[in-house]
């Protein structure tokens, strides 16, 4: 196998990919072409099911037993991959072309140490010794900023965190210095701070070694930060492609504009300028319409033009040389005027205080039965999951609780729901301290008035029962209705409320998409007429179009029912859009709390400042200060004595940060910051996110 180093690293021409089922051929990708040069980064974006991952699998020649490359060419450095024998493909994968998968735990063997799995890459592909492979693996683990690489080498996958697992998978992909790196949603499940560190890390290493990259993602903000060019895919086709600057500044396809309308950019406002979800559903591959695949969901569809023939890619005149679009009407549409945002809505009226959290603590006991611990008198240690939480929430208000994984957000939600009881302090809901009342001891009214929307609806719906039965059970359980006819009618009303067809009443969860399941989760949460709903990362795993629809649904129901919403998230873009007030948590403690406007403007707590800097924003005219947090969260078993953030703080004052807990400083009425740095100094910080005024903007991305 002889490579042509002067040829493009990857060259795909007129690629058509199909899967074969009992029903016949399913065309997954149609007429796909791209070229990647050395050191270049390409982004593939679009909704789930559009064919992004199928393209990556075709590049790796991993189409499976029922998948095949129907036609077209895939060349790597001038070598046609489609005709390479299996033995040469095995030599190529891992050495010249590597892939980083979305789920790191699924990509790692749970029965082998991480060191064994890392070392086998260069041993198999390069034939080096075990000692040389060990030395290289330790170096690459250090490059991906994993602490104590030797300990990681000896560990099994379950013994490290999800973020660390992802870094190991990235290290594995980089071990043999590949020429091409495929990244399939590599940061979807990670905290924004970890995501920021990993994307910068990959970019630095790729620049150092001249590695070409293909990023697969539905996160347009991430694509803007890491890629040179972007391909927007819809239902198996590329509908628009161009350089980052050209496509993000002057997008031409209605679907691209639809994606921008779904993203909570800093210019969005849930009342004045709400998100505009793309209506309808992505068509199944065997049910694609004639002409434009996006036609049934497009607000600018013209019968007889958009569906009369197959639509080819055309060059966008007056733009970048490689900006192309698959639309017959792109020259006729003024997107800046015609596509902006959803209809303006009245603000939600905020009522009396319904939740008061006063000095709440939640500790867990961990028992160490070792002889050394017993002799030292340390056989019982306390894990301080929540430490002295203080905040409140009002009727009709959205309060967001933000922070990295492990900061105590979900622990507080469990205490509020009665799944755990508080160790100390008070959680007064409706005037009653419910912090020490377990869920089994609560009245049906108390349980029904506090409901939860979970992150993964697939894990919370019973696969054996129909949707109607699962929602109806909640209505009966909490005494809303007892008559079967009235229960059925109430379920149908709830399906109307979450904008789903009434025939979903008889469907089972397996017959629904992820977004539809999440809507069912919302319907079930509101079935008991709750006064408060806790939403735990309800949109983090969804496509931007589905996430926008779910987000708007939550606000509409909240507006109609005056429900108090506690929104738990690490995504400050969504939080900025939804929340009225924000509580920032770190290692079980509140670092800062205040209104949304106060949190997003100086003075900042240093941790809040870092969180804001880590948020990807899909707008090239918005500028950010770069702050990448070093290191990981300290162990909850051995937290810092002073400020919990002291080990990672970019503005650390000195010993006082290590030895003394900071006092809470009030920047204004309700805006509290727990930091040793004086407020006057914190106020001098430059804004992390700078949004240009409307008259200064080149384009309007929404």
């Amino acid at each position: 196998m002889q490579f042509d180093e002067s040829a493009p690293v990857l060259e795909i021409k007129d690629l058509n990919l199909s899967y074969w089922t009992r029903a016949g051929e399913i065309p997954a990708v149609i007429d796909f072409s791209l070229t990647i040069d050395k050191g270049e980064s390409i982004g593939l974006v679009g909704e789930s099911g559009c064919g992004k991952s199928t393209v990556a699998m075709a590049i790796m020649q991993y189409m499976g037993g029922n998948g095949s490359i129907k036609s077209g060419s895939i060349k790597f450095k001038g070598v046609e991959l489609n005709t390479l024998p299996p033995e040469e493909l095995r030599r190529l994968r891992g050495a010249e072309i590597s892939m980083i998968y979305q789920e790191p735990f699924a990509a790692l063997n749970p029965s082998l140490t991480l060191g064994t799995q890392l070392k086998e890459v260069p041993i198999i592909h390069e034939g080096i010794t075990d000692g040389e492979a060990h030395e290289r693996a330790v170096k690459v683990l250090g490059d991906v900023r994993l602490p104590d690489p030797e300990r990681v080498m000896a560990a099994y996958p379950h013994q490290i965190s999800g973020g660390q697992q992802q870094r190991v998978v990235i290290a594995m992909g980089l071990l043999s210095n590949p020429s091409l790196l495929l990244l399939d949603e590599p940061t979807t499940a990670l905290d924004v701070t970890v995501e920021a560190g990993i994307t910068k890390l990959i970019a630095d290493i790729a620049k150092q070694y001249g590695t070409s990259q293909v990023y697969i993602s539905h996160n347009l903000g991430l694509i803007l930060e890491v890629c040179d060019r972007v391909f927007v895919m819809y239902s198996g086709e590329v509908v628009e492609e161009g350089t980052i600057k050209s496509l993000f500044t002057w997008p031409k396809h209605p679907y691209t504009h639809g994606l921008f309308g779904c993203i909570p950019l800093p210019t969005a406002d849930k009342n004045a300028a709400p998100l505009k979800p793309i209506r309808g559903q992505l068509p199944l591959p065997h049910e694609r319409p004639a002409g434009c695949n996006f036609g049934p969901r497009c607000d600018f569809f013209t019968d007889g033009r958009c569906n009369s023939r197959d639509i080819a890619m055309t060059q966008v005149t007056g733009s970048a040389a490689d900006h192309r679009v698959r639309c017959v009407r792109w020259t006729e549409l003024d997107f800046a005027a015609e596509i902006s945002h959803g209809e303006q809505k009245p603000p939600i009226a905020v009522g009396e205080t319904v939740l008061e959290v006063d000095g709440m603590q939640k500790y867990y006991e961990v028992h160490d039965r070792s002889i050394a611990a017993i002799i030292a008198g340390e056989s019982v240690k306390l894990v301080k999951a929540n430490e002295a939480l203080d905040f409140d929430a009002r009727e009709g208000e959205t309060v967001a609780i933000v922070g990295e994984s492990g900061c105590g957000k979900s622990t507080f939600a469990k205490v509020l729901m009665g799944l755990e009881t508080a160790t100390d302090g008070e959680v007064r809901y409706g005037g009653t301290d419910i912090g020490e009342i377990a869920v089994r001891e609560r009245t049906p009214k108390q349980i029904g008035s506090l409901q939860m929307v979970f992150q993964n609806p697939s894990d919370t719906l019973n696969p054996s029962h129909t949707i109607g039965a699962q929602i109806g059970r909640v209505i009966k359980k909490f005494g809303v209705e007892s008559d079967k006819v009235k229960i059925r009618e109430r379920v149908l009303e709830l399906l109307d409320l979450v904008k789903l067809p009434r025939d979903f009443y008889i469907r089972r969860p397996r017959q629904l998409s992820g977004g539809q399941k999440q809507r069912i989760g919302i319907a079930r949460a509101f079935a008991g007429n709750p006064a408060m709903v806790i939403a735990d990362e309800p949109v983090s795993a969804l496509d931007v179009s589905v996430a926008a629809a779910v987000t708007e649904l939550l606000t509409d129901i909240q507006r109609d029912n005056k429900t108090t919403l506690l929104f738990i998230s690490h995504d400050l873009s969504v939080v900025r859009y939804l929340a009225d007030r924000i509580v920032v948590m770190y290692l079980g403690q509140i670092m800062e709390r205040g209104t949304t406007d106060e949190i997003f403007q100086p003075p900042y707590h240093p941790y809040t400042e870092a969180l804001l800097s880590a948020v990807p924003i899909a707008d090239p005219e918005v500028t950010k200060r770069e702050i990448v947090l070093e290191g990981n969260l300290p162990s909850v078993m051995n937290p810092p004595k002073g400020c919990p953030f002291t080990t990672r703080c970019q503005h650390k004052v000195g010993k006082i940060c290590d030895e003394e807990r900071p006092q809470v400083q009030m920047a204004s009425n309700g805006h509290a910051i727990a930091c040793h740095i004086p407020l006057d100094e914190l106020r001098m910080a430059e804004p992390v996110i700078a949004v240009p005024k409307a008259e200064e903007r080149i384009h309007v991305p929404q």
Side-chain angles (χ1 to χ4, degrees):
M1 185 165 42
Q2 187 67 40
F3 295 126
D4 180 0
E5 297 296 336
S6 64
V9 171
L10 183 68
E11 189 174 12
I12 302 176
K13 285 187 178 180
D14 306 325
L15 186 65
N16 290 278
L17 308 173
S18 293
Y19 288 96
W20 302 89
T21 67
R22 292 178 182 177
E25 180 187 358
I26 305 295
V29 174
I30 305 164
D31 186 29
F32 183 89
S33 300
L34 69 76
T35 302
I36 306 176
D37 294 321
K38 183 176 180 179
E40 192 175 20
S41 294
I42 300 294
L44 296 183
V45 302
E47 295 170 281
S48 296
C50 71
K52 306 185 300 293
S53 296
T54 302
V55 169
M57 291 302 177
I59 295 170
M60 296 291 288
Q61 302 290 306
Y62 276 155
M63 290 292 290
N66 67 331
S68 66
I69 298 171
K70 188 177 179 182
S71 63
S73 168
I74 305 176
K75 290 183 179 180
F76 175 76
K77 294 185 177 179
V79 175
E80 179 59 63
L81 298 183
N82 296 346
T83 57
L84 272 186
E87 185 178 339
E88 294 197 6
L89 280 172
R90 281 194 294 271
R91 288 168 49 198
L92 192 71
R93 299 181 189 123
E96 288 286 345
I97 305 175
S98 288
M99 189 163 181
I100 296 172
Y101 297 91
Q102 181 173 354
E103 294 291 342
F105 200 77
L108 295 170
N109 189 325
S111 64
L112 298 177
T113 65
L114 295 168
T116 301
Q117 299 180 64
L118 286 163
K119 288 188 294 184
E120 71 178 3
V121 176
I123 288 174
I124 290 174
H125 290 293
E126 301 174 42
I128 63 177
T129 66
D130 184 86
E132 291 172 328
H134 184 96
E135 186 178 339
R136 188 188 298 183
V138 168
K139 180 183 182 302
V140 176
L141 288 177
D143 287 342
V144 297
R145 298 185 180 92
L146 272 169
D148 195 359
E150 289 288 358
R151 181 190 65 81
V152 174
M153 290 283 286
Y156 288 88
H158 70 274
Q159 294 176 310
I160 62 175
S161 70
Q164 290 173 331
Q165 288 173 16
Q166 189 65 287
R167 293 186 187 212
V168 169
V169 172
I170 291 169
M172 193 177 294
L174 296 169
L175 261 173
S176 285
N177 189 19
S179 299
L180 178 63
L181 189 61
L182 309 177
L183 304 102
D184 190 358
E185 301 279 11
T187 59
T188 297
L190 301 180
D191 291 322
V192 288
T193 51
V194 177
E195 177 184 76
I198 285 181
T199 51
K200 185 177 186 300
L201 167 73
I202 295 172
D204 290 346
I205 293 176
K207 185 177 180 181
Q208 179 181 349
Y209 295 108
T211 309
S212 302
Q213 301 170 78
V214 176
Y215 263 91
I216 297 170
S217 181
H218 61 251
N219 186 339
L220 284 167
L222 175 67
I223 294 297
L224 172 63
E225 292 186 357
V226 301
C227 293
D228 304 307
R229 290 190 293 135
V230 60
F231 290 67
V232 181
M233 294 189 68
Y234 181 82
S235 189
E237 293 182 327
V238 174
V239 295
E240 188 166 7
E241 64 177 90
T243 62
I244 287 293
K245 180 179 179 181
S246 177
L247 190 138
F248 275 74
T249 308
W250 300 285
K252 299 300 180 186
H253 198 282
Y255 178 61
T256 309
H257 276 274
L259 290 178
F260 280 121
C262 294
I263 300 170
L265 297 173
T267 50
D269 182 286
K270 68 178 180 181
N271 298 317
L275 301 180
K276 187 177 182 181
I278 302 172
R279 58 184 174 85
Q281 301 284 336
L282 191 79
L284 295 173
H286 61 286
E287 296 177 350
R288 292 186 178 113
C292 177
N293 288 340
F294 188 61
R297 304 174 73 186
C298 183
D299 294 332
F300 308 100
F301 176 81
T302 302
D303 191 23
R305 289 186 64 193
C306 298
N307 58 355
S308 62
R309 57 183 173 81
D310 290 340
I311 299 171
M313 295 287 282
T314 57
Q315 177 68 37
V316 174
T317 54
S319 186
D322 61 351
H323 193 164
R324 303 194 302 155
V325 64
R326 195 185 299 270
C327 179
V328 296
R329 296 200 60 201
W330 71 268
T331 58
E332 307 166 18
L333 304 175
D334 181 3
F335 288 109
E338 298 187 69
I339 297 183
S340 53
H341 46 69
E343 294 181 7
Q344 186 172 345
K345 300 174 183 178
I348 301 171
V350 176
E352 297 295 321
T353 300
V354 295
L355 176 69
E356 296 174 278
V357 183
D358 186 6
M360 195 214 92
Q361 297 177 338
K362 176 59 184 176
Y363 295 170
Y364 294 98
E365 287 188 356
V366 177
H367 296 269
D368 186 348
R369 303 298 185 188
S370 67
I371 296 175
I374 294 172
I375 293 174
E378 298 177 352
S379 58
V380 178
K381 292 185 177 181
L382 292 177
V383 174
K384 299 180 179 180
N386 289 147
E387 178 76 342
L389 302 188
D390 293 288
F391 68 93
D392 56 44
R394 299 171 178 82
E395 181 186 53
E397 186 177 41
T398 299
V399 177
I401 304 176
V402 303
E404 295 170 281
S405 298
C407 74
K409 307 186 299 292
S410 295
T411 299
F412 169 73
K414 289 177 182 178
V415 172
L416 189 58
M417 294 296 294
L419 302 175
E420 300 278 1
T421 55
T423 303
D424 200 358
E426 293 185 351
V427 181
R428 292 186 295 275
Y429 176 65
T432 302
D433 183 5
I434 62 172
E436 296 182 359
I437 306 176
V439 66
R440 292 184 181 277
E441 300 169 3
R442 294 185 182 182
T443 65
K445 183 179 179 181
Q446 287 175 328
I447 297 172
S449 66
L450 275 169
Q451 287 296 296
M452 195 159 183
V453 179
F454 296 91
Q455 179 176 359
N456 191 343
S458 299
D459 291 343
T460 60
L461 295 175
N462 191 321
S464 303
H465 294 176
T466 63
I467 298 304
Q470 297 190 58
I471 299 176
R473 182 176 181 274
V474 176
I475 295 170
K476 183 178 180 180
K477 184 79 173 176
F478 296 140
V480 178
E481 295 288 355
S482 57
D483 182 80
K484 287 185 178 180
V485 175
K486 290 183 178 179
I487 289 174
R488 177 183 172 86
E489 188 56 37
R490 176 61 180 156
V491 173
L492 295 177
E493 289 174 0
L494 285 164
L495 289 175
D496 293 339
L497 186 68
V498 297
K499 298 178 176 63
L500 287 175
R502 288 193 165 197
D503 64 4
F504 275 35
Y505 184 95
I506 59 173
R507 293 195 184 185
R508 284 180 166 77
R510 68 176 182 273
Q511 297 172 290
L512 276 60
S513 69
Q516 290 169 339
K517 289 177 187 176
Q518 192 61 288
R519 291 183 182 220
I520 295 300
I522 293 171
R524 187 175 60 178
F526 281 89
N529 297 328
M532 177 178 290
V533 170
I534 300 98
D536 189 359
E537 302 276 14
V539 298
S540 64
L542 302 178
D543 286 327
V544 288
S545 55
V546 179
V550 170
T551 300
E552 291 310 290
L553 176 63
L554 277 172
T555 56
D556 288 344
I557 296 175
Q558 182 186 31
R559 184 175 283 105
D560 295 338
N561 295 274
K562 295 184 179 179
T563 312
T564 303
L565 183 64
L566 283 186
F567 192 81
I568 297 173
S569 180
H570 64 254
D571 186 347
L572 279 167
S573 292
V574 178
V575 165
R576 179 176 191 158
Y577 175 74
L578 268 182
D580 301 303
R581 288 189 296 127
I582 299 174
V583 176
V584 181
M585 289 184 64
Y586 184 83
L587 213 64
Q589 300 180 38
I590 294 177
M591 299 288 96
E592 185 172 2
R593 55 182 166 83
T595 66
T596 302
D597 288 341
E598 288 170 340
I599 296 296
F600 276 79
Q601 294 294 331
Y604 305 116
H605 188 281
Y607 179 57
T608 307
E609 187 179 36
L611 283 180
L612 293 175
S613 174
V615 178
I617 299 176
D619 186 345
E621 295 180 50
V622 172
T623 57
K624 288 191 308 177
R625 285 197 288 120
E626 184 180 292
I627 304 167
V628 177
L629 289 182
E630 299 294 337
N632 299 304
L633 279 167
S635 170
V636 290
M637 298 285 291
N638 186 28
K641 178 183 176 183
C643 174
F645 189 56
T646 184
T647 58
R648 302 169 76 193
C649 184
Q650 67 275 20
H651 301 305
K652 184 176 175 180
V653 176
K655 281 189 176 181
I656 188 173
C657 297
D658 296 325
E659 297 173 356
E660 294 183 24
R661 286 276 297 275
Q663 296 295 314
V664 175
Q665 305 180 76
M666 300 304 297
S668 64
N669 184 24
H671 185 193
I673 300 175
C675 186
H676 288 295
I677 302 172
L679 276 175
D680 289 342
E681 190 173 332
L682 292 175
R683 288 191 175 99
M684 294 171 62
E686 292 290 324
V688 174
I689 300 171
V691 182
K693 296 178 181 178
E695 61 271 16
E696 299 172 347
R697 298 178 70 88
I698 299 172
H699 77 308
V700 180
Q702 284 196 328

